[in-house]
Amino acid sequence: MRSFGRFILFISSMFVRRESFMTYVKLVFEECTKIGVNSIFLVAIVSTFIGAVTTLQTAYNLVSPFIPPYVISMVVRDMTILELAPTVMAIVYAGKVGSNIAGELGSMRITEQIDALEVMGINASSYLVLPKIIASLITYPMLVVISAFLSLVGGYLAGTLAGVITPTEYIYGIRYEFVAFNITFALTKAYVFAFLVAAISAYKGFFTSGGALEVGVASTSAVTNSCIAILCADFLLTNIML
């Protein structure tokens, strides 16, 4: 409870003594490149293989002759949009981006760069952390959309090349009884997860004390706590929205 209260105070401290608007615009663009653009390749690889494996495993389990083949891609579509793209990718996102944020801020803390900013009258939490959270809120939902698309493409390639479903049946299953609200649900989860990963990782890195060993511990703790928060938020959002 004490850590949670400290975390709330940390978040609220970002909105006092802010810098000029144009300063944040420049910082947010830089963070979008580091957080979002540099994660596209990893997201693409993981998403394509997840879609391919999900398609083959779904086909393996649907052995009844009374189940039409297009059900395979329909199941893959719903699994991808509801869970795989927003939640599984959030775990990957926490491992890559969360550890980087915690490591960067932790290194700045132990080398007294954050203390130097405070001495110069700059609100370090607002200057360093707020652009990272905004960039995460901008880029992670985009990564989820890319992930969902590539996952379905991976499923199409794996299913048709393996001969478990024809291209026509796969496309028909993707379009069959599509529920538009599932997109809203996935993007809602994406925004929540983006905030949790960036905020928790920044909190762990910002309050690092000690040396290089403690920076590594903070990075590991950031990933662990982010993953736990993602899973808890996933359960709550699913229970509330579905």
Side-chain angles (χ1 to χ4, degrees), residues 147-169:
S147 171
F149 174 74
L150 292 177
S151 180
L152 295 178
V153 171
Y156 174 85
L157 294 174
T160 54
L161 292 176
V164 298
I165 187 172
T166 66
T168 303
E169 290 170 335

Side-chain angles (χ1 to χ4, degrees), residues 4 7 31 43 103 131 134 177 209:
F4 181 73
F7 175 73
E31 294 297 336
V43 168
I134 294 174
E177 293 188 351
S209 60

Side-chain angles (χ1 to χ4, degrees), residues 91-229:
I91 303 296
V92 177
Y93 185 74
K96 182 182 185 301
V97 174
S99 61
N100 283 343
I101 291 175
E104 179 184 341
L105 292 176
S107 298
M108 295 183 70
R109 172 64 74 182
I110 66 172
T111 55
E112 300 183 348
Q113 295 180 58
I114 293 178
D115 297 329
L117 289 173
E118 295 287 357
V119 169
M120 289 188 292
I122 298 173
N123 183 353
S125 61
S126 179
Y127 184 78
L128 295 174
V129 178
L130 188 57
K132 296 182 188 301
I133 293 178
I134 294 174
S136 182
L137 290 171
I138 293 173
T139 56
Y140 183 65
M142 295 180 183
L143 292 175
V144 168
V145 173
I146 294 172
S147 171
F149 174 74
L150 292 177
S151 180
L152 295 178
V153 171
Y156 174 85
L157 294 174
T160 54
L161 292 176
V164 298
I165 187 172
T166 66
T168 303
E169 290 170 335
Y170 189 88
I171 298 299
Y172 180 77
I174 291 294
R175 301 175 63 182
Y176 184 74
E177 293 188 351
F178 176 71
V179 179
F181 176 75
N182 290 347
I183 300 294
T184 304
F185 176 65
L187 291 178
T188 301
K189 291 207 301 184
Y191 280 110
V192 173
F193 297 161
F195 172 78
L196 290 174
V197 170
I200 292 174
S201 301
Y203 171 75
K204 290 294 180 181
F206 195 82
F207 292 105
T208 300
S209 60
L213 179 62
E214 282 72 20
V215 173
V217 173
S219 296
T220 304
S221 179
V223 175
T224 304
N225 285 274
S226 295
C227 290
I228 294 173

